[in-house]
Amino acid sequence: MLKELPDVSSLESLYKMYKNQIYTLCVRLTGSKTHADDLFGDTWIKVAEKMNNIKKEKNPMNWIYTVCLNIYRKSAPKWKEIDVSDDFFNDDNTTEIFGKDSNTEELIIEKETMMQLQKAVSKLNDKYRIPIILFYFRSFSYKEIAEIMKLPMSTVKFRLNYAKELLKKEMEVSL
């Protein structure tokens, strides 16, 4: 059975389908809502300009992620000092992340651990940080990450393993 591809004929339909995933990626890449807003806007402007480059047989989300990552790589030097925003873990999305049945003490510990992990991820070099974000926070497969980043799958696997080791060391020091 063939998987039905989404309608990619209009910018509006793409935006409705992928705006949340792209914005989340922007927040994770930049660590700042201000920079994420800029990156998000720039991404959709570029998508609008290059709509005719979307191949009907390919996954449009992967193409949009690639556009977003390319813009991020060009813009990141402007944002050298990235502070991980604590407002990412505000009360509105705490329940979504940890569930409604968590008790207060567990919730505080989990929230603190997640903030430390987010800070550790933000300290990674982009070549390690981007695969971590795509794999663990966006649930992309090795193959999809390789396509998005235009890398061999073996390189993606290596970078993920190395990044996990770096994060493990950083978390051990933090805790």
Side-chain angles (χ1 to χ4, degrees), residues 5 16 21 26 51 70 80 89-90 93 128 169:
L5 294 173
K16 284 180 181 177
Q21 294 100 321
C26 293
M51 278 285 295
N70 288 339
K80 277 290 184 202
F89 294 100
N90 64 26
N93 61 15
Y128 302 114
K169 289 176 187 174

Side-chain angles (χ1 to χ4, degrees), residues 138-152:
R138 301 304 313 145
S139 302
F140 279 97
S141 68
Y142 294 131
K143 182 180 178 186
E144 290 171 320
I145 296 169
E147 288 174 10
I148 290 168
M149 296 186 74
K150 297 181 182 8
L151 294 170

Side-chain angles (χ1 to χ4, degrees), residues 39-97:
L39 179 59
F40 182 76
D42 291 346
T43 298
W44 286 105
I45 289 170
K46 184 62 82 175
V47 167
E49 291 171 357
K50 304 288 184 177
M51 278 285 295
N52 58 347
N53 290 356
I54 297 177
K55 295 180 179 146
K56 301 275 186 208
E57 68 277 359
K58 297 283 184 170
N59 183 345
M61 187 168 69
N62 288 356
W63 180 77
I64 297 170
Y65 267 64
T66 301
V67 169
C68 183
L69 288 173
N70 288 339
I71 293 170
Y72 168 74
R73 287 183 188 117
K74 290 176 186 169
S75 302
K78 294 186 244 175
W79 307 326
K80 277 290 184 202
E81 293 298 319
I82 295 176
D83 293 325
V84 175
S85 176
D86 289 342
D87 59 1
F88 180 75
F89 294 100
N90 64 26
D91 292 334
D92 294 338
N93 61 15
T94 300
T95 302
E96 178 184 320
I97 294 170

Side-chain angles (χ1 to χ4, degrees), residues 93-134:
N93 61 15
T94 300
T95 302
E96 178 184 320
I97 294 170
F98 302 112
K100 293 180 180 179
D101 297 334
S102 299
N103 74 37
T104 306
E105 187 176 334
E106 288 174 359
L107 186 65
I108 291 170
I109 292 169
E110 288 293 319
K111 185 175 179 180
E112 182 63 30
T113 302
M114 287 297 290
M115 289 175 66
Q116 287 175 343
L117 180 60
Q118 182 75 11
K119 287 178 183 180
V121 168
S122 73
K123 291 178 186 177
L124 291 174
N125 181 302
D126 279 350
K127 71 182 190 179
Y128 302 114
R129 189 166 60 89
I130 291 170
I132 286 286
I133 291 169
L134 294 177

